[in-house]
Amino acid sequence: MARTDRIAEPWGTRTPYGPGESWPRRTDSYLDGDLTEDDVDRWVQSASILHSNGDGIDIAVKDGRIVGVRGRAEDRVNHGRLDPKDLFGWQANNSPDRLTRPLIRRDGELVETDWDTAMDAVVGRVKELLEEQGPSAIGFYTTGQLFIEDYYTLGLVAHGGIGTNHVDGNTRLCTATAAAALKESFACDGQPGSYTDVDHADVIALYGHNVAETQTVLWTRMLDRLAGPNPPKLVVVDPRLTPVAKAATVHLAPRPGTNVMLMNALLHEILRNGWYDEAYVEAHAVGFDELQKQMEKYPPEVAAEVCDVPAEQIREAARLIGTAERLLSTVLQGFYQSHQATAAAVCVNNIHIIRGMLGKPGCGLLQMNGQPTAENTRECGADGDLPAFRNWDNDDHVADLARVWNVEQIRIPHYAPPTHAMQMFRYAEEGSIRFLWIIGTNPLVSLPELERIRSILGQERLFVVVQDIFPTETTQFADVVLPAATWGEKTGTFTNADRTVHLSEKAVEPPGEAKADMDVFIDFAHRLGLKDKVGEPLVKWSDPEGAFEGWKECSRGRPCDYSGLSYDKLRGSGGIQWPCNDEHPDGTERLYTDGAFFADPGYCEEYGRDMVTGAPVSETEYKALNPEGKAVLKAAEYLPPHELPGEEYPFQLITGRTLYHFHTRTKTGRAPQLQAAAREVWVEMSAGDAADRGLGEGDLLEITTPRGRVEARLRVSGIRPGVVFLPFHYGYWDTDGADGRGRAANELTVTDWDPVSKQPIFKTAAAAVRRIASSDGTPSAAPTTTASAPVAGSSPPTTGGSAAEAVELVGGQA
């Protein structure tokens, strides 16, 4: 039995394997204090909710409390391995500052109350606004961390009951472009690839995807392939020298905001050299001639000038991608949160379509998610889209949903595209949305231009409900706060980034009076008196399994078909990929294996959008373009970013994540090992930029943009020149705020979004920096102990204690 410090070595020990072999098992575990597995009363099946990988986990319970976790060796996703956030993040459940009773605002202060009083206030305000203004006054802003049962219940209540079009989640900030790009190329959401493609690929291309820190166990799988025989080549696109970039065969570090230019140059080279499957394109795609024509304008020399990447590096990357026998591509926030986000992500899809690299082992395409259940917000209608990938612009789809819900078709809003989150906050700013229910998210740290968000949520005319597990920056602005149960305290299902569905069982009771989110939504629906068209209660279920059965029927016959799944089938399993139905009773490893897509005009989820303006394509236009439901090749024209550096603000600011934290640290900041590993915000700058300005490691800097300021310690890194990086996790809930020091990266970001996906742009703000104090200055300017993710093979920082240690059983069973 090996004991490894998983803060110092976040990816654990290597278990090398070769192409086509099964990834060896390695069971990771961590128990509180001196406990052993013999001390555990029972183990409860679950999966991780602190990233999108979907690692299978068993929860250890003793004396009614969660006391640790163990990786599920039989799980198809992680083969027993766990991320440091998995190993240590569960401790937040036991934090003494959990919300345990509802709060209501009285005389300007939040005070404790009972559930009846809190819900009467919520329902009373909704009834007033429905009478006064109608459904357009009501908005719901949710998360990527609930369960299918929660999302589907909320979607039914919001769309089928209240009839509002204003429903979205913080998944708009991290996964909206994944969905949009898939809809543009395949006319429907749904990841084509599978994590098992890592086991077969000879080239892995990672576009804006720092997988080592965002999906740590997936990177562990890649590291084990790299350590084995016949390892894959890696092509990495990232302006930072991340652990992934350091392992790359070719690392392309473009200027922020130029991803489309770079992708077009790669496509230019692939087409020019004939590295495409002409027969596949002819049989299974439309738009090739236009793509080929448009890409002629983007030779590597043009891209080299715009992106500041050597033309020969572009050619070498194109050669690896274009000649790969089994190409796996992954995409994440480096593309999704940048200028022309959807256009850039679609370019990756274009490569796979023209190369015929879909539906075969190793030929995977993963437009990744950032959150554990982001896939389910999109599937279940909690991001505004209609459930089960139904098309809001197809009357037959709306009629079918009305049949499932037993409501009149007119009751389901389908007069316009769903309202995205950025527009919802604008409507609240303008006063048309007057009730906003915020669920499991902290927009006063995560949304761009925080001063504006504070002003919106602080309006007296806006009634704000916050449903969460901890006090946050956002609960301070609430009229009502509802205490929620979280992972381990309720039962439900959720789906990871490669369509793997897991069951998470309730292990312990929630603290105090906290309730499961689904139960809160059902209570709200009943108090509001929501009925179906024959006068029966709109929500027909009362427990999670009943909700899942309802969702199965809603998904039946749709691309994300869950009708073959059940709680009994998921219990004890290692996860099952949808679609799972009578035709595929054991699930489906890869989509589009036969070149058949979900793109038929009568079946597809969306007809597409203009890549520059975001204007929807009409049904008539789509039928003319793609009558046979093939994959769609879309050319993207490069456009410069909206906010460029200049004399006053000479840097480009990008934001991102660190391995040791998740979102706004409400959970990970309460896990001692994770908090000790990354205690404070920092700013990264290249060695050349630091030297030019006389700056040194640990100096306290002020970073400013036209919108605000942040103070952070300098970390000199391998980031490209002219760019500075801030992690976005840090807010103010764990500070007294007395010094007024800016800490949240989104004090600086701009209110701007991609025209297609409507995802905010967090990676192209113009910024300036100046030194406030040197690293050897006064005590208040002393260096902090912040740790970044170590590079494989390096000597990473440690917390210096056994509290960070976890057990690994390599090749063994737990």
Side-chain angles (χ1 to χ4, degrees):
M1 181 182 296
R3 187 170 290 276
T4 303
D5 184 340
R6 290 297 303 280
I7 296 298
E9 299 180 52
W11 307 294
T13 56
R14 298 280 60 75
T15 54
Y17 71 117
E21 298 174 4
S22 177
W23 188 25
R25 294 180 177 184
R26 187 194 82 197
T27 303
D28 299 347
S29 66
Y30 176 75
L31 293 173
D32 195 15
D34 296 324
L35 292 176
T36 69
E37 292 196 5
D38 291 337
D39 298 317
V40 175
D41 293 339
R42 57 195 175 93
W43 295 91
V44 180
Q45 177 180 343
S46 185
S48 173
I49 62 156
L50 290 174
H51 48 74
S52 68
N53 209 57
D55 301 338
I57 289 177
D58 285 328
I59 302 172
V61 179
K62 181 176 177 57
D63 298 330
R65 296 177 76 252
I66 297 175
V67 295
V69 291
R70 178 180 66 190
R72 292 178 61 81
E74 68 276 16
D75 196 275
R76 68 169 305 277
V77 170
N78 58 318
H79 291 214
R81 292 161 184 79
L82 295 179
D83 175 305
K85 294 188 289 292
D86 301 336
L87 287 166
F88 307 119
W90 57 267
Q91 294 167 99
N93 281 52
N94 299 330
S95 181
D97 61 340
R98 286 285 301 273
L99 290 168
T100 59
R101 294 197 67 199
L103 305 175
I104 193 166
R105 192 167 296 279
R106 296 285 189 241
D107 299 322
E109 299 292 327
L110 285 171
V111 297
E112 287 190 348
T113 189
D114 57 78
W115 272 97
D116 281 339
T117 301
M119 293 304 291
D120 284 349
V122 172
V123 172
R125 186 57 179 149
V126 170
K127 286 181 175 179
E128 289 174 357
L129 290 171
L130 288 175
E131 178 69 24
E132 183 179 324
Q133 182 179 323
S136 66
I138 312 299
F140 295 87
Y141 183 59
T142 184
T143 181
Q145 299 170 60
L146 304 184
F147 292 161
I148 286 173
E149 295 77 2
D150 305 318
Y151 291 129
Y152 184 54
T153 303
L154 175 61
L156 169 59
V157 169
H159 293 305
I162 293 172
T164 181
N165 212 22
H166 306 326
V167 183
D168 203 358
N170 66 6
T171 51
R172 184 64 54 184
L173 316 182
C174 67
T175 190
T177 298
L182 293 167
K183 292 175 189 178
E184 292 303 314
S185 299
F186 308 111
C188 188
D189 201 347
Q191 302 290 352
S194 172
Y195 288 167
T196 54
D197 290 322
V198 174
D199 306 343
H200 303 276
D202 62 338
V203 173
I204 302 176
L206 300 107
Y207 300 94
H209 184 195
N210 182 14
V211 62
E213 302 199 54
T214 55
Q215 287 86 24
T216 304
V217 170
L218 183 58
W219 177 237
T220 301
R221 193 172 196 149
M222 294 179 184
L223 284 176
D224 287 350
R225 273 297 317 274
L226 292 173
N230 301 312
K233 306 293 186 183
L234 260 59
V235 176
V236 176
V237 179
D238 198 314
R240 298 172 67 212
L241 190 60
T242 63
V244 182
K246 287 201 170 187
T249 311
V250 178
H251 173 211
L252 305 175
R255 288 190 178 104
T258 65
N259 291 333
V260 166
M261 174 61 76
L262 179 65
M263 293 305 305
N264 283 350
L266 294 174
L267 280 161
H268 172 98
E269 283 297 287
I270 292 169
L271 292 167
R272 184 181 69 83
N273 286 283
W275 294 326
Y276 60 90
D277 188 332
E278 189 172 352
Y280 185 91
V281 170
E282 177 66 26
H284 301 300
V286 296
F288 178 77
D289 291 343
E290 181 63 20
L291 178 72
Q292 191 170 43
K293 177 183 175 182
Q294 292 297 325
M295 291 308 100
E296 291 174 359
K297 302 183 295 185
Y298 296 97
E301 288 74 18
V302 172
E305 183 70 24
V306 172
C307 304
D308 190 29
V309 173
E312 284 311 307
Q313 280 193 9
I314 297 173
R315 287 195 173 89
E316 177 60 11
R319 184 189 67 79
L320 289 173
I321 294 167
T323 61
E325 293 182 8
R326 296 172 302 280
L327 172 66
L328 168 62
S329 296
T330 70
V331 192
L332 198 58
Q333 311 298 18
F335 272 33
Y336 297 167
Q337 294 180 341
S338 291
H339 176 61
Q340 292 192 282
T342 305
V346 164
C347 289
V348 180
N349 297 346
N350 288 342
I351 289 173
H352 277 262
I353 295 168
I354 66 173
R355 294 225 56 225
M357 293 284 175
L358 292 166
K360 297 176 287 187
C363 302
L365 173 60
L366 292 168
Q367 297 282 353
M368 296 292 296
N369 301 332
Q371 293 191 74
T373 68
E375 188 70 32
N376 303 125
T377 64
R378 287 144 49 184
E379 295 169 5
C380 299
D383 69 341
D385 290 336
L386 296 184
F389 300 158
R390 287 177 173 85
N391 189 340
W392 68 269
D393 203 18
N394 184 322
D395 284 344
D396 291 340
H397 287 202
V398 181
D400 184 60
L401 183 60
R403 174 192 61 79
V404 172
W405 286 349
N406 199 31
V407 299
E408 300 293 344
Q409 182 175 341
I410 193 65
R411 192 160 160 184
I412 300 171
H414 59 286
Y415 46 83
T419 311
H420 60 91
M422 300 302 289
Q423 190 64 56
M424 282 172 55
F425 279 87
R426 178 159 289 176
Y427 286 158
E429 186 175 38
E430 295 169 348
S432 62
I433 287 182
R434 297 162 63 191
F435 175 98
L436 187 60
W437 193 332
I438 300 170
I439 304 147
T441 187
N442 189 13
L444 279 171
V445 176
S446 58
L447 280 178
E449 198 173 348
L450 290 179
E451 185 58 34
R452 173 175 172 263
I453 302 304
R454 283 189 284 266
S455 71
I456 293 171
L457 294 186
Q459 296 176 101
E460 193 170 324
R461 65 187 175 188
L462 180 65
F463 192 95
V464 177
V465 179
V466 179
Q467 186 168 315
D468 215 321
I469 64 174
F470 290 110
T472 67
E473 292 82 351
T474 303
T475 59
Q476 296 176 23
F477 285 75
D479 295 284
V480 173
V481 178
L482 303 176
T486 187
W487 168 91
E489 300 166 359
K490 62 181 184 178
T491 294
T493 51
F494 57 95
T495 309
N496 78 344
D498 83 336
R499 295 173 287 104
T500 300
V501 185
H502 284 104
L503 174 66
S504 180
E505 301 266 27
K506 181 177 179 178
V508 298
E509 292 297 324
E513 299 176 21
K515 292 186 178 182
D517 297 278
M518 186 196 74
D519 292 341
V520 177
F521 302 146
I522 293 174
D523 182 37
F524 170 71
H526 291 338
R527 290 173 186 264
L528 197 57
L530 298 180
K531 307 289 185 182
D532 65 14
K533 66 181 181 182
V534 296
E536 295 296 320
L538 179 69
V539 182
K540 305 294 193 294
W541 48 85
S542 58
D543 62 9
E545 191 165 8
F548 187 73
E549 291 298 314
W551 164 243
K552 284 168 53 178
E553 288 308 307
C554 183
S555 72
R556 186 182 296 276
R558 296 300 301 158
C560 55
D561 194 335
Y562 284 65
S563 60
L565 291 173
S566 67
Y567 274 26
D568 285 343
K569 192 168 188 174
L570 290 168
R571 282 193 177 100
S573 80
I576 300 172
Q577 291 169 285
W578 66 251
C580 180
N581 49 27
D582 292 341
E583 185 181 355
H584 304 285
D586 298 320
T588 307
E589 190 169 23
R590 296 175 184 87
L591 301 182
Y592 312 141
T593 55
D594 53 1
F597 304 96
F598 302 135
D600 180 271
Y603 187 73
C604 68
E605 182 184 8
E606 189 172 289
Y607 303 129
R609 292 176 179 269
D610 183 277
M611 299 288 280
V612 173
T613 68
V617 174
S618 72
E619 180 182 9
T620 301
E621 291 171 317
Y622 181 77
K623 285 181 174 178
L625 168 72
N626 195 20
E628 298 177 16
K630 298 182 178 182
V632 180
L633 293 164
K634 284 197 169 185
E637 176 188 359
Y638 168 71
L639 300 170
H642 300 154
E643 184 168 291
L644 292 168
E647 185 174 346
E648 185 177 3
Y649 298 102
F651 286 95
Q652 286 185 290
L653 168 70
I654 60 176
T655 67
R657 305 184 184 215
T658 178
L659 187 153
Y660 301 108
H661 283 304
F662 182 65
H663 277 209
T664 64
R665 299 166 43 256
T666 50
K667 297 186 186 76
T668 54
R670 290 173 168 89
Q673 299 88 345
L674 301 174
Q675 177 65 354
R679 191 177 301 281
E680 256 312 337
V681 66
W682 72 91
V683 59
E684 289 183 23
M685 179 184 289
S686 73
D689 285 337
D692 289 346
R693 290 156 179 79
L695 304 175
E697 183 82 12
D699 285 356
L700 182 61
L701 304 186
E702 179 187 63
I703 305 95
T704 58
T705 72
R707 291 157 293 279
R709 63 183 291 279
V710 167
E711 293 180 17
R713 295 285 176 185
L714 173 61
R715 186 176 299 167
V716 178
S717 75
I719 196 169
R720 66 161 289 128
V723 178
V724 291
F725 167 86
L726 282 169
F728 85 96
H729 309 285
Y730 298 88
Y732 308 102
W733 62 261
D734 57 343
T735 69
D736 59 17
D739 60 3
R741 177 177 137 199
R743 194 172 184 234
N746 283 317
E747 303 285 3
L748 308 178
T749 47
V750 62
T751 300
D752 193 6
W753 56 82
D754 180 71
V756 180
S757 68
K758 318 302 182 188
Q759 184 159 345
I761 298 172
F762 291 105
K763 301 189 188 295
T764 52
V769 299
R770 72 176 183 89
R771 180 165 53 199
I772 296 174
S774 63
S775 61
D776 58 356
T778 61
S780 63
T784 62
T785 58
T786 310
S788 65
V791 176
S794 71
S795 298
T798 73
T799 58
S802 62
E805 292 181 347
V807 173
E808 293 179 359
L809 291 173
V810 179
Q813 295 286 342

